[in-house]
Structures are given as C-alpha cells and as structure tokens.
Amino acid sequence: MIEILSPAEVTRARATGTLVADILHTLAGRAEVGTNLLEIDQWARAMILGAGAESCYVDYEPSFGRGPFGHYICTSVNDAVLHGLPRDYALADGDLLTLDLAVLLGGIAADSAISFVVGESRPAESVALVESTQRALAAGIAAAGPGARIGDLSHAIGESLRADGYQVNTQFGGHGIGSTMHQDPHVSNTGRPGRGYQLQPGLLLCLEPWVMADTDQLVTDDDGWTLRSATGCRTAHSEHTIAITDDGADILTLPTGS
Ligand code: MF3
Ligand code: CO
C-alpha cells in the first residue's frame, strides 16, 4: 500500500525527521576511537525514549533478519554495510562507520543513515565511498521533481554510483515510509527513467544508495542480521527521508539549524 500523508501529517513527519537527524549527528559527534558500538546503541536508546519517540527497530522482525532486532540503531563497520547489529566492538582510528536509525514520533516514522570515518585518519578509498553515496542521494532527490516517477529517481541514483565506478546491488534499496517504516513503493538503486509509480505530494520516500568498493555481493554475518561485502572490502550508505511537495521534494532528515 502507498500512503499519501495529509499536510498535517507531513508537518509531524518533519518533526520526526529532525529528531532522527539530530540523534544521528549527535552520535556521529560522540563516536571516537575507543567508543563501543553497544555504547552508541545505549545513547541512541536514551535519546529516542527521552524525546518521547519509539524505536522502529527494537521489535522489528523481517524475513531478512533473525528474530527481533533487539537494538535501537544499526552500526555497520567497514565491510558491514546494512543492518549492522550493535556488538561489543571498540572503534579504531580510520574505521568507516555507518549509523542507520528509524524512529516513530507522533505516529509518523523517519529513517536516515550516515557514513563517516572515525578518528583522525582519512583513508582515501573510504572517503570516496562515502562521497559517492552522498552524491547519489543528492542525484536521487534532485530527480524527484513534479511529475517524476520512481524509475527516474532509481535511474539517477544508479547512474551516479556507476559513474563513480561502483556496481549496484539491487537486493536492498529505498522505500516508502509513513505510519510504518517500510512501505511501498520500493525504490531500487537502479532503474529506468519514466517507469513506475508517479510521485504525488504527501508521499514520503526513503532514498538509500549504498555501495561496496569492489563487489556487488553480500554475505550475512553469523549474527543473522549484519550484511557484509562478500570480499571484505569497505562499504558506505547514505539515506534521507524526503517528502514529495507540489514543486519537488523536501529533505526531512536534516539536523536542527541546517
Ligand atoms: N533503516 C533500514 C532501512 O533503511 C532498516 C533497518 S532494519 C533493522 O530500511 F532491523 F536492521 F534495523
Ligand atoms: Co530505510
């Protein structure tokens, strides 16, 4: 089912989006060499509950994971790219960390992910991966103009990733969002322009380009959740929730003051 939100619901979605972004950026500021992934999960829990919001992850039990997720945020390090289950691991200088967070506030969900390098070093390949997903995300959002179809966004994302020399895996992509975290339509990270559902004002979408340095194959970790690159190469992921408006798209998951 595709949900179209009323203007009042879109206003509530903006509050959820700001909360998700503020939590992510606060956590990114605190994540340093020596920080444990389980601490990040506890900080996320405290901020979600402190804001009167609800986690979309803790009880989440999709077909692609083992049992309820049981944590408040996805923490994916280096070769881990999606659904990273927080574990007892202390971050090292130069680790590439992806934080992915979705919460429900006032009955509306928002979902966002950021990737960044921890500590002082700036490994060139990791920076390139992160910037590629950011560019692809911007290209997808720019394609969400009046009259656009899902295929236009998917095409823009895929072409941007490919122009940077990466292969595109189509097992996981973006999605509609609203009163629940995962809804139709699916937003593949590759596609054909002019195809698919035509965007309507009031639709919320999550766009989420992700890449792996030298493969398009994933493997599932022994934890039953964390998805890693099959070759062990590094990976990155960037995600925003956007609201379709009369004249384009608004990014909802930007931090306060940006
Ligand atoms: N936020 C992810 C997405 O973008 C979903 C994470 S599911 C979890 O679709 F259970 F792993 F948390
Ligand atoms: Co998502």
Side-chain angles (χ1 to χ4, degrees):
M1 196 201 73
I2 293 179
E3 237 176 55
I4 300 295
L5 277 66
S6 67
E9 288 170 327
V10 173
T11 300
R12 297 216 298 279
R14 290 179 195 280
T16 315
T18 304
L19 175 65
V20 165
D22 283 343
I23 294 174
L24 281 177
H25 288 267
T26 302
L27 293 172
R30 284 194 207 167
E32 50 191 36
V33 174
T35 301
N36 195 295
L37 300 180
L38 295 174
E39 281 181 89
I40 295 177
D41 186 51
Q42 283 307 305
W43 292 335
R45 175 183 188 277
M47 285 189 265
I48 294 166
L49 302 183
E54 211 178 296
S55 169
C56 295
Y57 291 176
V58 73
D59 297 325
Y60 191 50
E61 211 171 347
S63 56
F64 53 76
R66 182 188 296 154
F69 191 69
H71 290 268
Y72 291 79
I73 190 164
C74 298
T75 56
S76 305
V77 181
N78 296 338
D79 59 317
V81 61
L82 298 173
H83 311 159
L85 190 72
R87 65 195 162 98
D88 180 13
Y89 172 78
L91 292 166
D93 188 54
D95 274 351
L96 199 171
L97 175 62
T98 299
L99 299 177
D100 184 340
L101 177 69
V103 309
L104 194 69
L105 179 70
I108 311 288
D111 182 2
S112 180
I114 54 174
S115 287
F116 55 93
V117 177
V118 174
E120 299 304 317
S121 58
R122 287 283 166 268
E125 181 199 59
S126 298
V127 172
L129 285 163
V130 172
E131 290 180 352
S132 178
T133 62
Q134 291 171 342
R135 269 195 298 276
L137 179 53
I141 295 168
R149 292 182 182 271
I150 293 295
D152 298 317
L153 282 62
S154 295
H155 177 75
I157 291 169
E159 289 308 296
S160 179
L161 296 174
R162 285 201 189 94
D164 292 333
Y166 301 114
Q167 295 171 266
V168 180
N169 171 298
T170 54
Q171 285 172 279
F172 294 91
H175 48 94
I177 187 168
S179 57
T180 58
M181 165 174 66
H182 279 156
Q183 299 192 353
D184 290 334
H186 175 67
V187 188
S188 174
N189 284 337
T190 182
R192 290 163 67 185
R195 298 298 181 102
Y197 175 80
Q198 189 167 29
L199 307 187
Q200 311 290 329
L203 174 71
L204 301 190
L205 289 176
C206 294
L207 306 187
E208 40 183 321
W210 56 277
V211 283
M212 304 185 276
D214 64 13
T215 182
D216 63 354
Q217 297 296 306
L218 289 168
V219 290
T220 306
D221 190 276
D222 289 342
D223 67 17
W225 279 101
T226 305
L227 296 171
R228 299 180 182 277
S229 63
T231 57
C233 69
R234 288 196 169 202
T235 65
H237 177 202
S238 295
E239 174 177 16
H240 273 311
T241 299
I242 64 171
I244 305 306
T245 64
D246 290 325
D247 36 57
D250 285 352
I251 303 175
L252 302 188
T253 41
L254 293 174
T256 303
S258 64

